[in-house]
Amino acid sequence: AQSVTQLDSHVSVSEGTPVLLRCNYSSSYSPSLFWYVQHPNKGLQLLLKYTSAATLVKGINGFEAEFKKSETSFHLTKPSAHMSDAAEYFCVVSYYNTDKLIFGTGTRLQVFP
Amino acid sequence: SQTIHQWPATLVQPVGSPLSLECTVEGTSNPNLYWYRQAAGRGLQLLFYSVGIGQISSEVPQNLSASRPQDRQFILSSKKLLLSDSGFYLCAWRGSSYEQYFGPGTRLTVT
């Protein structure tokens, strides 16, 4: 069955330091994977998507993620955190590449000045 | 470019009252559309999806219903709200690679 596991419920970083949000997936074949960000009382915004093309995916706002099949991981990174990055982040997989999305439980990112 | 609108942005309704939330999409035709609910501190729950006018699939049995009267309009309704209907309601449309694009959401509080 398809699933995603976000390994950290909370991550805290200082402004200007790197961000790493971890996500492992379970899939019987090559999945479509996404990262979304949600600021308080806002809708979800797509940061980036992996759809079996390049394994290193660049997204908006300086974020990127690397698809590692051998590790079944799709971790989200950013070289330097900004205060505006403080939000909830969701790792998402498309269920057998269909309309149904399976959401991780989310990681809350705090950024300290 | 595509844009998705939801209204109202916030809503406070008493238990037992009706509900109507509206979602419209601009810049695309015949999109797949979705309604989600996000309860406080919890993940997203898919409620309904639609692949075309008048075509609605329900994911979770509840006192909510959905309709799609026009190609780019998706409506979420209830005849009688329950306290448990409180939450953040999100509408979304599907892109070309199974990704979904979400609207700004409606915060519903049932009192």
Side-chain angles (χ1 to χ4, degrees):
Chain A
Q2 310 274 79
S3 66
V4 288
T5 301
Q6 292 186 243
L7 300 172
D8 306 291
S9 58
H10 291 85
V11 171
S12 297
V13 300
S14 297
E15 190 175 22
T17 64
V19 175
L20 170 63
L21 305 183
R22 299 183 296 165
C23 174
N24 285 355
Y25 70 91
S26 173
S27 176
S28 56
Y29 63 97
S30 185
S32 294
L33 290 159
F34 316 99
W35 274 100
Y36 286 85
V37 61
Q38 185 180 30
H39 289 89
N41 293 310
K42 301 291 186 183
L44 276 72
Q45 181 183 21
L46 180 67
L47 283 175
L48 48 80
K49 61 182 178 181
Y50 167 77
T51 55
S52 74
T55 55
L56 182 61
V57 183
K58 294 189 182 297
I60 61 172
N61 301 335
F63 284 96
E64 64 181 37
E66 186 171 7
F67 175 76
K68 291 187 176 181
K69 186 175 181 179
S70 61
E71 299 176 12
T72 62
S73 68
F74 190 57
H75 301 335
L76 181 70
T77 61
K78 183 173 180 177
S80 176
H82 191 272
M83 294 296 291
S84 61
D85 294 328
E88 188 92 16
Y89 291 79
F90 293 96
C91 181
V92 181
V93 65
S94 169
Y95 183 78
Y96 291 109
N97 286 340
T98 66
D99 283 48
K100 184 173 182 178
L101 298 183
I102 298 173
F103 290 80
T105 52
T107 298
R108 181 164 298 279
L109 176 64
Q110 285 186 302
V111 182
F112 295 102
Chain B
S1 63
Q2 298 86 355
T3 308
I4 182 167
H5 303 279
Q6 287 186 245
W7 62 89
T10 60
L11 192 59
V12 180
Q13 294 282 95
V15 168
S17 64
L19 173 73
S20 181
L21 303 182
E22 189 165 343
C23 169
T24 59
V25 181
E26 297 176 357
T28 184
S29 60
N30 197 31
N32 286 8
L33 296 174
Y34 311 85
W35 277 112
Y36 290 88
R37 177 170 59 205
Q38 187 177 32
R42 301 179 70 176
L44 275 75
Q45 178 186 36
L46 178 63
L47 301 175
F48 301 94
Y49 69 93
S50 171
V51 299
I53 296 174
Q55 301 178 65
I56 308 295
S57 296
S58 173
E59 288 292 307
V60 182
Q62 60 215 330
N63 69 320
L64 299 173
S65 62
S67 61
R68 186 165 176 180
Q70 300 181 42
D71 181 40
R72 286 169 285 181
Q73 184 185 32
F74 204 20
I75 297 173
L76 183 69
S77 304
S78 174
K79 293 182 179 178
K80 289 186 177 182
L81 284 168
L82 305 173
L83 284 174
S84 58
D85 292 323
S86 292
F88 193 49
Y89 288 82
L90 291 158
C91 180
W93 63 277
R94 200 198 90 176
S96 59
S97 303
Y98 302 105
E99 77 278 17
Q100 292 178 18
Y101 298 93
F102 290 81
T106 295
R107 173 73 59 190
L108 171 66
T109 303
V110 182
T111 61

